[in-house]
Amino acid sequence: MHEQFANRLPAMVERTNISGLHEIGEWRYFISEGGRRNCLSGKYLFPRPYDFWRACKMQKDISQFISVCADFIRGIELTSKNDAYKYSVIVPPANYSPWLTDDLFMASYASLRENTLVDVYRCYELWSLVEQSARLEGDILEVGVWRGGTGCLMAVKAKLLNLKSRVFLADTFSGVVKAGKMDTSYTGGEHSDTSVEVVLKAKENLKLDNVDILVGIFPEKTGEYTKDSLFSLCHIDVDVYESARDVLDWVWPKLLVGGTVVFDDYGCISTSGVTRLVNERKNTPNAVVIHNLNGHAIMVKTA
């Protein structure tokens, strides 16, 4: 696995005295004076990632290889259609992976892996937030369901905790809606490769009796079906500015104090509209907004 990772890295420069801007496709990065970002290990210079991989493998020190590769790619600037934001490769230094020892999560995630585009880090965060918000005794809302992976995952956790919460999964099932001038990549209709039947099958396979599927644009067409609910957790995964804004404005008055809104794809190049919305709402008087490096923004209602 590490060898495959090494071969996918941009070619590393062969000399340590090269400085300036290098471009490889959409990768842009600076090589500092002295070759700080070259593939260095102690006294030795390895011009290619594979050479360094072999040396680490011989020394049985794979962690050193990973550390140097992470240092090399950290901070690489990425090109974007949106000049208002800067993007770079982010490699957090922390390695703690609690999901690996959570057998119930891992089993649930494995069964739903093909039903979501969300990675294990964000999935585990949603799984954890269901438990953390359980004391509020509110319902759970997800808008932007695709094939039901994250929604059913939250429903599994709620059921394991014996919560009375209903889990509402809202989607058009015909792709992204409300794309507009605030969105640089989405034009509408993306992620239409799903159906209600796909989500129903996932729900039935996991024997989830706490899930309600809402078909249509939320909140205009389907918000009325949850008008009597108060929410402890809301997952917004709609990819574009206007849709995310409309969901947030609808759910915020119905969110219990201490409740959480999670924005998926915050900070991603292709979803700059979501990033813009969250940034605009950072100073909401009764909220704390957290930029999570895993691709989530988390908005907690404080009053």
Side-chain angles (χ1 to χ4, degrees), residues 82 85 87 176 182-184 186 236-245 248 262-282 289 295-297:
N82 189 343
Y85 300 115
Y87 298 89
V176 171
M182 298 294 191
D183 309 294
T184 54
Y186 282 84
I236 301 177
D237 188 3
V238 295
D239 301 314
V240 295
Y241 177 92
E242 185 178 337
S243 184
R245 181 200 63 195
L248 176 62
V262 180
F263 297 87
D264 192 64
D265 294 320
Y266 176 80
C268 297
I269 291 179
S270 62
T271 52
S272 58
V274 175
T275 303
R276 179 185 294 274
L277 172 67
V278 175
N279 289 350
E280 288 175 355
R281 302 300 178 92
K282 280 186 175 180
V289 179
H296 274 164

Side-chain angles (χ1 to χ4, degrees), residues 10-11 20-31 76-77 79:
L21 179 66
H22 294 251
E23 296 190 9
I24 301 177
E26 291 192 352
W27 295 85
R28 298 196 306 159
Y29 56 94
F30 286 94
I31 306 300
I76 292 174
E77 288 190 42
T79 58

Side-chain angles (χ1 to χ4, degrees), residues 12-20 22 29-42 44-47 68 71-73:
M12 295 185 180
V13 295
E14 296 186 4
R15 301 179 180 220
T16 60
N17 60 356
I18 296 177
S19 63
H22 294 251
Y29 56 94
F30 286 94
I31 306 300
S32 63
E33 291 288 347
R36 182 179 61 84
R37 294 196 183 186
N38 292 336
C39 197
L40 287 170
S41 174
Y44 303 101
L45 171 65
F46 299 92
V68 171
D71 185 62
F72 178 77
I73 65 174

Side-chain angles (χ1 to χ4, degrees), residues 115-144:
N115 290 69
T116 183
L117 298 172
V118 178
D119 59 38
V120 67
Y121 314 118
R122 288 174 287 171
C123 281
Y124 187 71
E125 185 159 66
L126 293 171
W127 174 273
S128 301
L129 285 171
V130 172
E131 183 169 8
Q132 292 175 43
S133 60
R135 59 182 175 78
L136 301 178
E137 300 182 348
D139 289 329
I140 296 170
L141 172 65
E142 176 175 80
V143 184

